[in-house]
Amino acid sequence: MDQNLDQLVQAILIASDPTSGPLQPQALEYLSNVQQNSNNTWRIALTLFVERNADGARKYPPQARFFALRVLDDFLDNRFEPLDQESFQTLQQALISYIQSEYLYGPAEANSPFLRNKFSHTLTLFFLCTYLDQWPTFFNDIFTLIRPPESTSQSTFNPHVSLLFFHIVLEISGEVADQVIKAARTYTPARHNRDGRVRDAVRERDAAAINEAVLTIVAEGVETMSRLRKSDGQSSEKELAQAVEVVDWGIRTFASYVGWIDINLTVTPTTVPLLFTLLSDGSLPIRLATSVALTRIVAKGLKEPADKLQLIKVLSLGQVLDALETKTRAEQAVRGSEVDEGEESYREALGKLLNVYGLELTKLIEEASLEDIRNEALHLLNQILPVMLRFMADEYDDTCSTVFPLLQNVLAGYKRVRKTSSEPLDETKRSFLTSLLRVVLEKLKWDEEADPDEMDEDDKAAFDELRKDLRTFVDSALMIDQGLVTDALSSLSLSTLNSYQSGVPIKWHDAELAVYMVYIFGEINKTGGKGRSAFAQTPAAIAKDKRKETDYSEYPLTKHGEMLYTLVHSGMSAFPHKSVQMQFFETVARYGDFFKVRRDCIVPALQAMVDTRGLHNPDSKIRSRVFYLFHRFIREDRNEIPVELAGSLLDSIRDLLPIQVDLPEVEDDHDLLTEAVNNPGAFDAQQYLYETAGTLVSLFHKNPEQCAALLLSIIKPLLDDLSLNLQAVKGPGDVMPILKVHHIIMALGNIAKGFPDFPSPPPEGYTPPPLEVFSQAAQAVLVSLEAMNVFRVVRDAARFAFARIFATTGPNVTNLIPPLMANLLAHFEPSELIDFMHFIGLLIHKLQGDMFDVLDQLIGPLSSHIYALLSQPVAGTDDQVTHVDTKRTYLTLLNSIMTAKLHGIFTSERNNAQLETLLAHMQQFAEDLSDPLSQRAAYQFLGRCIAVWLTPLVSNGIDEAQQGIPGFERFVYERLVPSAFGVLSSPQFNIKDGQMLVVLHEICNFLQSVSKIRGQEAFEFFANVFLPAQGWPQDAAFEFATKLRDLDNKAFRRYLSDFVRASRSSS
């Protein structure tokens, strides 16, 4: 035994020593085996833990004894059957003996306090295994140890055993009643049932004695604290600290079980005064523990509302919390700028207690059936509302937010009353809302000492979250009394703005709040008008086509309009604080419609944006954000900006247009070029500036020559820079010039994006954009692509730029599409093919018939690329995803071609020979049951082919594009129809799958198209040829052909679905 013990101890010491070298893994493996085999090793572990030397000290080191407890835990945990009697007695005697020697007469593991906590957990596990059947006197045995012989101590109760007792009860409560702990561990019915039985047995046998013991020990501890605090002796400090510890843990223990034992034991004429005394004790831990205890008492569920109300009245918490809030707030004021986190945590705990107390009252108001109970609860709730608002006004956000749930419930109750009553809001509620708004508006401010630019991101996010929560309360108050809320917000904002305009000094956080009020007013005032009507009080809704010619300046402003007007003219944009300036820019950019009703505000708003406050601000973060806000403002109000102003704005931003390139820091295994494109830095925001430049140039469309000259003046520096960097690129290592080429091409695309889309068809008198200049830009992009098409980033940029140029110029530069396509397809990655097809689909949508010649040249090579890619073996998940996405995108493109009536490209002289290959691939896609989305798209395409090419041949001069293809009907009858029936009859076709059902619907459409277009011929084919050849009885074949011919689409879908289901069940 001793040899085994020594070996185990040696292994523990080696395992815990990181310098033990190669022996450590062996030791860890040995210890793991000991733990896993705890059914056989628990005895040696027990000896290891309790063994003593001749002098009475523990024989083995603390880390070894800690491991011993872990082995015992593994042995006892999840044991739901009684122990054999010999094992039980061995453990019981050893543990009781250990408690006597170590806690009653010894130092209580003074040198290793972590062992105290671990032992209490182990003893709790032993209790759970044995209390029901083997050790029902567990608590009585512990009680006899708590009160020692008179000669051992001056105290009536042994403090060490008392603390052990507290820890054990805490552990028991956690194991059998704590829902958080239960939720964290794996649920097992045996454990759940055992814990429930233990909980019931404790209630029945020992709850009263446990509660009495806890409260008696606490009461004695309180007396000891009082006596020692009055004495001045230095020797009493240690004894006082011990008494405080006992009371602290005693109250924590009390709090742990109040939720699951009889309330009549825990709430008595003795306990309530004791708890209230401790709630204001000089010891912070005791106060915090007491607040938790009271919170759990208040939250305890009682069946009868009357009992709950009586409990609340007995506690009289409202008055107590009112007094304590006043006291702690005064202490807070005395501390001033000095922060005492402990005392602030106490105020936070009081806030939580008030919150739970108020929530229980709101439950009574909502759920109690007796009116007297509801009225009394409402009276008590109204008494604590001022206290709630004082907590909410606390400068510390954690304390403030403790009462948010209660406030939410109070406002929800007000809203319910408001919905059912048309009476004016009573004065009590109105007074509360007024006070609430005052508090909310104060809490919405930044801390005056804060610097948002220097703040930690988490702190900024926390304040943003607080503002969001506070806004919900404003929204709720608005639903209760709209006028009160809108008046409060607008009054505060206008007062501050007018004061600043008059030269009155304003603190930065007050200024920021005033602008923020303007910013959020449009969201809060949900009953305001839309568009221009939100800012001008028009006599009636103005028709959309009359809005441009209407002079809104003659109409008075709404409340929000007045706030915005005052903001723009207040000079707040020049306030010497970045946060105020940025809030100004965010606000004016958000409400573009306002500037359509007060055009005189446009110039001052834009002046602020373009000077050193905005676009030319020395702070790069502000510049980047204002680039976007400036773009948003111009885009929204482009029609309100005169060309003179547009010209001066262009001149103001020219110095910002040179390309900015930022190279990020990358790890060795990352591609610098790719990372630089994915993280473009300042250029990301700069792109908004290029689009805005395009928008401003487009405003000169009535003067084509001036428009072209301005556009060229913007584009030419970029083209010159493009040429220089093209020449600088010698190979893939020249990252900077390659990146510059990419950025310039993107910039050219964004400039085109700023122009309106080319209309289709152009209206009469339409003035096109500067086509020659855009053609020059497109040519430059194409030249760059030809020279650098080996770089994916350049291919991606060229695709983007051409998409925007085509959208702006319409069919006028389509002659560049073929060489563009050739260069994009000269080098490409599989995923690029998908982007390329999306690009072609966009051009089809924009250019329609003008794409015919381009597609005629493109479809053959593109299809070959697709088929080659899809024929390659799939090497992994990524390949599988690429194959499927490519196939689906290709099918989408083909359907777009058919929808745009460009199907002639498939039968043109260039592509006619490939039609059969195309149709064969479509048949293959339609039969692939592993990809129902592609199946559906394939049948959609085949259905459109049938609508065009299956029509009977005619020779009477009808448009050839609508004539059928000779022999196409044989392909349909001999291959496509059998293929469709093969899909429906396949064992893998699961009609219960929603996606498969959609495929069935497309097959219905396909078959009905064949039937309708070929008429009687199709009827004869199905009834007399195809279906009989498949083994169908003649009457079934005739019925199917008749249904196919006569039913509408919806009815035939239902018929075929039922038919397939019936055939599956019969087979």
Side-chain angles (χ1 to χ4, degrees):
M1 180 75 164
D2 288 343
Q3 183 179 359
N4 290 338
L5 262 176
D6 292 339
Q7 183 180 1
L8 178 58
V9 172
Q10 188 178 9
I12 294 168
L13 295 176
I14 291 172
S16 59
D17 182 4
T19 64
S20 54
L23 290 176
Q24 190 179 41
Q26 298 177 31
L28 289 170
E29 183 179 358
Y30 173 74
L31 296 179
S32 177
N33 290 331
V34 170
Q35 272 192 270
Q36 292 173 11
N37 196 29
S38 60
N39 282 337
N40 298 317
T41 59
W42 68 266
R43 293 175 188 275
I44 193 172
L46 181 63
T47 303
L48 174 58
F49 179 69
V50 301
E51 189 83 355
R52 290 194 291 173
N53 289 318
D55 62 357
R58 298 298 156 189
K59 184 174 182 179
Y60 297 106
Q63 60 265 47
R65 297 177 61 226
F66 186 84
F67 177 79
L69 289 176
R70 287 172 58 186
V71 176
L72 290 172
D73 286 356
D74 285 347
F75 174 62
L76 296 170
D77 200 11
N78 294 317
R79 178 175 293 278
F80 308 117
E81 297 297 327
L83 294 164
D84 65 85
Q85 192 60 24
E86 188 272 334
S87 296
F88 165 68
Q89 288 178 347
T90 299
L91 281 163
Q92 183 190 39
Q93 290 169 7
L95 296 179
I96 287 291
S97 176
Y98 164 75
I99 294 171
Q100 289 173 330
S101 61
E102 188 66 40
Y103 285 84
L104 191 58
Y105 302 113
E109 305 288 2
N111 296 324
S112 306
F114 61 91
L115 284 176
R116 290 201 296 262
N117 296 330
K118 186 64 176 174
F119 174 69
S120 63
H121 180 67
T122 304
L123 188 57
T124 298
L125 295 179
F126 185 53
F127 164 84
L128 292 172
C129 295
T130 59
Y131 178 66
L132 290 171
D133 303 309
Q134 294 177 296
W135 199 0
T137 61
F138 175 87
F139 287 108
N140 287 330
D141 292 345
I142 296 293
F143 294 154
T144 61
L145 297 173
I146 292 175
R147 189 184 294 273
E150 290 298 326
S151 59
T152 63
S153 172
Q154 295 180 354
S155 171
T156 307
F157 300 104
N158 181 288
H160 299 317
V161 183
S162 297
L163 287 170
L164 175 65
F165 166 59
F166 291 155
H167 281 285
I168 293 169
V169 177
L170 275 165
E171 291 274 358
I172 292 170
S173 292
E175 289 292 326
V176 304
D178 192 308
Q179 297 304 317
V180 175
I181 294 176
K182 284 186 173 185
R185 65 190 178 207
T186 304
Y187 173 83
T188 58
R191 181 171 200 142
H192 180 74
N193 292 334
R194 192 276 311 272
D195 290 350
R197 287 164 51 221
V198 169
R199 189 168 60 245
D200 292 342
V202 171
R203 284 173 179 151
E204 183 180 344
R205 299 175 189 170
D206 293 309
I210 292 170
N211 184 62
E212 183 181 0
V214 169
L215 292 174
T216 303
I217 295 170
V218 168
E220 185 194 79
V222 171
E223 289 179 11
T224 302
M225 289 192 309
S226 177
R227 172 173 53 80
L228 294 174
R229 283 169 177 168
K230 292 175 182 176
S231 69
D232 296 328
Q234 292 293 322
S235 60
S236 64
E237 285 186 8
K238 183 178 179 182
E239 193 178 351
L240 175 60
Q242 191 175 64
V244 168
E245 184 182 14
V246 168
V247 173
D248 174 22
W249 282 100
I251 294 299
R252 292 194 206 190
T253 305
F254 176 80
S256 75
Y257 62 70
V258 292
W260 60 276
I261 72 170
D262 187 354
I263 192 72
N264 292 312
L265 294 175
T266 55
V267 179
T268 67
T270 305
T271 57
V272 172
L274 175 65
L275 291 172
F276 283 158
T277 299
L278 296 178
L279 190 59
S280 56
D281 188 78
S283 166
L284 176 64
I286 290 176
R287 278 182 279 142
L288 293 175
T290 308
S291 66
V292 172
L294 284 167
T295 300
R296 292 182 178 175
I297 289 174
V298 173
K300 183 174 175 62
L302 298 176
K303 290 183 180 179
E304 295 299 325
D307 293 341
K308 187 66 181 226
L309 181 62
Q310 184 60 31
L311 170 64
I312 289 172
K313 289 165 66 177
V314 165
L315 293 173
S316 299
L317 268 176
Q319 297 172 358
V320 174
L321 288 171
D322 189 351
L324 287 175
E325 190 285 325
T326 302
K327 177 186 173 186
T328 54
R329 183 160 37 86
E331 292 169 350
Q332 194 180 58
V334 170
R335 289 194 296 271
S337 60
E338 293 182 12
V339 178
D340 187 328
E341 293 187 0
E343 291 304 323
E344 297 307 331
S345 68
Y346 176 53
R347 267 185 70 80
E348 186 179 339
L350 293 176
K352 290 176 181 177
L353 176 55
L354 179 79
N355 179 68
V356 171
Y357 176 66
L359 287 175
E360 294 300 320
L361 288 171
T362 61
K363 285 182 189 175
L364 287 175
I365 295 167
E366 294 167 15
E367 299 170 6
S369 57
L370 296 177
E371 187 176 354
D372 288 348
I373 293 177
R374 293 198 303 271
N375 289 338
E376 201 162 352
L378 180 60
H379 175 70
L380 292 172
L381 178 65
N382 286 333
Q383 285 182 340
I384 65 168
L385 291 183
V387 188
M388 177 191 72
L389 290 180
R390 297 205 299 272
F391 274 115
M392 191 173 170
D394 194 286
E395 64 177 301
Y396 293 95
D397 296 340
D398 288 342
T399 302
C400 162
S401 59
T402 58
V403 295
F404 282 2
L406 172 57
L407 176 58
Q408 197 169 14
N409 273 24
V410 169
L411 293 175
Y414 283 14
K415 285 191 285 186
R416 279 194 298 272
V417 172
R418 203 80 179 106
K419 285 180 181 177
T420 58
S421 172
S422 58
E423 296 294 320
L425 195 67
D426 69 64
E427 195 53 42
T428 303
K429 291 185 175 68
R430 189 176 176 83
S431 174
F432 170 72
L433 289 180
T434 302
S435 301
L436 170 64
L437 287 170
R438 194 179 303 119
V439 171
V440 168
L441 292 175
E442 190 64 30
K443 289 298 297 180
L444 281 168
K445 289 182 189 177
W446 285 93
D447 182 359
E448 185 181 357
E449 304 301 322
D451 185 351
D453 288 335
E454 300 298 326
M455 280 178 71
D456 179 82
E457 286 300 320
D458 290 341
D459 290 339
K460 288 174 81 170
F463 182 70
D464 288 340
E465 191 64 30
L466 176 67
R467 273 190 161 178
K468 192 184 300 180
D469 290 339
L470 293 169
R471 288 261 307 280
T472 63
F473 301 137
V474 175
D475 289 342
S476 296
L478 188 93
M479 296 175 68
I480 299 164
D481 193 328
Q482 179 180 338
L484 179 69
V485 175
T486 55
D487 285 347
L489 268 60
S490 61
S491 296
L492 180 142
S493 180
L494 289 171
S495 173
T496 305
L497 294 174
N498 286 322
S499 295
Y500 183 72
Q501 187 175 7
S502 302
V504 177
I506 300 292
K507 293 179 180 178
W508 82 265
H509 65 314
D510 289 320
E512 194 275 344
L513 179 64
V515 184
Y516 181 68
M517 288 295 101
V518 187
Y519 179 79
I520 66 171
F521 196 86
E523 294 176 41
I524 292 174
N525 189 24
K526 295 181 176 66
T527 57
K530 302 296 182 184
R532 294 171 174 85
S533 299
F535 308 104
Q537 301 176 38
T538 54
I542 298 173
K544 192 172 183 179
D545 58 340
K546 300 288 185 184
R547 289 174 189 168
K548 287 186 180 180
E549 59 193 58
T550 301
D551 181 10
Y552 285 88
S553 63
E554 64 185 49
Y555 299 121
L557 292 170
T558 62
K559 193 162 288 186
H560 196 196
E562 184 183 350
M563 292 166 74
L564 278 159
Y565 188 86
T566 306
L567 171 65
V568 173
H569 290 287
S570 66
M572 196 61 81
S573 62
F575 194 94
H577 197 285
K578 294 176 183 178
S579 296
V580 180
Q581 293 175 2
M582 279 308 302
Q583 193 62 66
F584 173 86
F585 294 136
E586 295 282 354
T587 304
V588 296
R590 187 178 210 186
Y591 296 111
D593 279 326
F594 164 74
F595 296 91
K596 297 172 184 175
V597 304
R598 287 297 185 269
R599 293 178 181 140
D600 58 307
C601 291
I602 291 176
V603 171
L606 287 174
Q607 283 176 339
M609 281 192 169
V610 299
D611 65 18
T612 54
R613 289 168 284 182
L615 298 178
H616 291 85
N617 196 295
D619 188 324
S620 61
K621 288 184 180 179
I622 292 180
R623 279 201 312 274
S624 295
R625 181 61 181 167
V626 179
F627 281 179
Y628 164 72
L629 297 173
F630 180 62
H631 154 263
R632 181 176 174 181
F633 187 98
I634 298 297
R635 184 188 62 192
E636 179 74 17
D637 292 302
R638 61 195 299 169
N639 294 327
E640 315 303 323
I641 297 174
V643 291
E644 297 82 8
L645 178 58
S648 64
L649 290 172
L650 274 172
D651 291 336
S652 299
I653 65 172
R654 284 183 189 277
D655 62 320
L656 301 171
L657 295 179
I659 296 291
Q660 297 183 48
V661 177
D662 296 321
L663 286 178
E665 295 182 7
V666 298
E667 298 177 10
D668 293 339
D669 58 338
H670 288 196
D671 179 61
L672 177 58
L673 182 59
T674 303
E675 289 297 313
V677 170
N678 292 337
N679 303 281
F683 179 72
D684 192 35
Q686 201 178 14
Q687 293 183 78
Y688 289 114
L689 212 55
Y690 297 120
E691 184 178 341
T692 307
T695 302
L696 292 171
V697 171
S698 72
L699 299 180
F700 291 83
H701 64 276
K702 292 182 180 179
N703 188 334
E705 292 183 5
Q706 188 180 8
C707 187
L710 280 170
L711 180 60
L712 187 61
S713 71
I714 298 294
I715 285 178
K716 192 171 187 313
L718 294 173
L719 297 184
D720 293 341
D721 202 10
L722 181 62
S723 178
L724 287 173
N725 283 279
L726 275 176
Q727 296 171 32
V729 177
K730 306 300 181 185
D734 298 319
V735 174
M736 184 63 82
I738 296 171
L739 198 57
K740 204 77 177 288
V741 169
H742 167 273
H743 286 8
I744 293 170
I745 294 173
M746 293 292 293
L748 293 170
N750 276 292
I751 291 170
K753 188 179 177 183
F755 278 75
D757 283 357
F758 194 91
S760 180
E764 187 178 346
Y766 174 71
T767 304
L771 298 175
E772 289 186 10
V773 182
F774 277 120
S775 178
Q776 186 178 342
Q779 288 278 6
V781 173
L782 189 57
V783 169
S784 303
L785 180 62
E786 288 173 348
M788 301 177 63
N789 58 19
V790 294
F791 299 107
R792 172 165 184 170
V793 296
V794 175
R795 297 195 298 270
D796 289 344
R799 196 167 51 244
F800 166 80
F802 266 100
R804 295 314 314 160
I805 291 172
F806 286 141
T808 300
T809 60
N812 294 288
V813 291
T814 52
N815 60 302
L816 298 179
I817 295 180
L820 171 67
M821 304 306 179
N823 281 285
L824 287 175
L825 292 176
H827 302 274
F828 67 90
E829 298 171 17
S831 59
E832 280 185 87
L833 208 51
I834 296 170
D835 295 334
F836 178 76
M837 287 188 284
H838 285 312
F839 173 63
I840 298 301
L842 177 65
L843 295 184
I844 291 172
H845 173 71
K846 294 286 186 185
L847 305 178
Q848 296 290 315
D850 294 306
M851 282 292 290
F852 186 91
D853 292 337
V854 173
L855 289 171
D856 189 40
Q857 298 175 54
L858 171 70
I859 197 64
L862 176 62
S863 297
S864 297
H865 281 301
I866 300 292
Y867 303 152
L869 176 66
L870 296 180
S871 66
Q872 294 175 5
V874 175
T877 304
D878 289 346
D879 277 0
Q880 179 66 34
V881 171
T882 301
H883 273 58
V884 170
D885 288 348
T886 302
K887 179 169 56 171
R888 291 176 182 173
T889 309
Y890 179 55
L891 287 165
T892 301
L893 176 64
L894 294 179
N895 277 302
S896 297
I897 291 171
M898 299 300 290
T899 303
K901 299 181 180 178
L902 297 170
H903 47 78
I905 67 168
F906 299 116
T907 56
S908 69
E909 184 178 349
R910 189 193 308 268
N911 299 310
N912 188 45
Q914 299 178 36
L915 179 59
E916 189 170 348
T917 302
L918 171 69
L919 293 172
H921 277 92
M922 291 303 105
Q923 180 184 342
Q924 180 184 334
F925 296 161
E927 293 172 349
D928 183 4
L929 287 158
S930 68
D931 186 7
L933 290 177
S934 294
Q935 277 188 288
R936 178 191 182 191
Y939 274 113
Q940 286 175 334
F941 176 75
L942 291 172
R944 291 181 170 116
C945 291
I946 285 169
V948 177
W949 296 328
L950 196 61
T951 53
L953 294 173
V954 294
S955 56
N956 58 359
I958 293 178
D959 183 0
E960 291 184 3
Q962 293 300 320
Q963 292 188 21
I965 297 176
F968 186 56
E969 73 279 2
R970 288 199 309 277
F971 180 79
V972 173
Y973 288 150
E974 295 173 9
R975 293 182 59 177
L976 296 184
V977 169
S979 171
F981 277 84
V983 168
L984 295 176
S985 61
S986 170
Q988 284 77 41
F989 186 84
N990 178 15
I991 197 169
K992 295 179 182 178
D993 185 308
Q995 292 185 336
M996 292 290 189
L997 185 62
V998 172
V999 173
L1000 181 141
H1001 291 167
E1002 287 301 334
I1003 291 176
C1004 288
N1005 298 340
F1006 164 76
L1007 294 175
Q1008 284 198 303
S1009 295
V1010 174
S1011 175
K1012 287 187 171 85
I1013 292 170
R1014 301 303 290 193
Q1016 186 62 26
E1017 172 193 291
F1019 181 86
E1020 296 291 340
F1021 168 75
F1022 282 107
N1024 300 321
V1025 180
F1026 174 69
L1027 294 176
Q1030 304 302 309
W1032 286 43
Q1034 187 61 48
D1035 56 343
F1038 184 82
E1039 179 190 359
F1040 182 90
T1042 303
K1043 299 282 190 185
L1044 178 62
R1045 179 189 65 192
D1046 296 342
L1047 293 179
D1048 62 22
N1049 184 258
K1050 186 176 180 180
F1052 182 68
R1053 284 181 177 183
R1054 190 182 306 114
Y1055 164 75
L1056 187 58
S1057 299
D1058 293 342
F1059 183 87
V1060 172
R1061 289 191 186 94
S1063 65
R1064 292 295 166 87
S1065 60
S1066 63
S1067 61

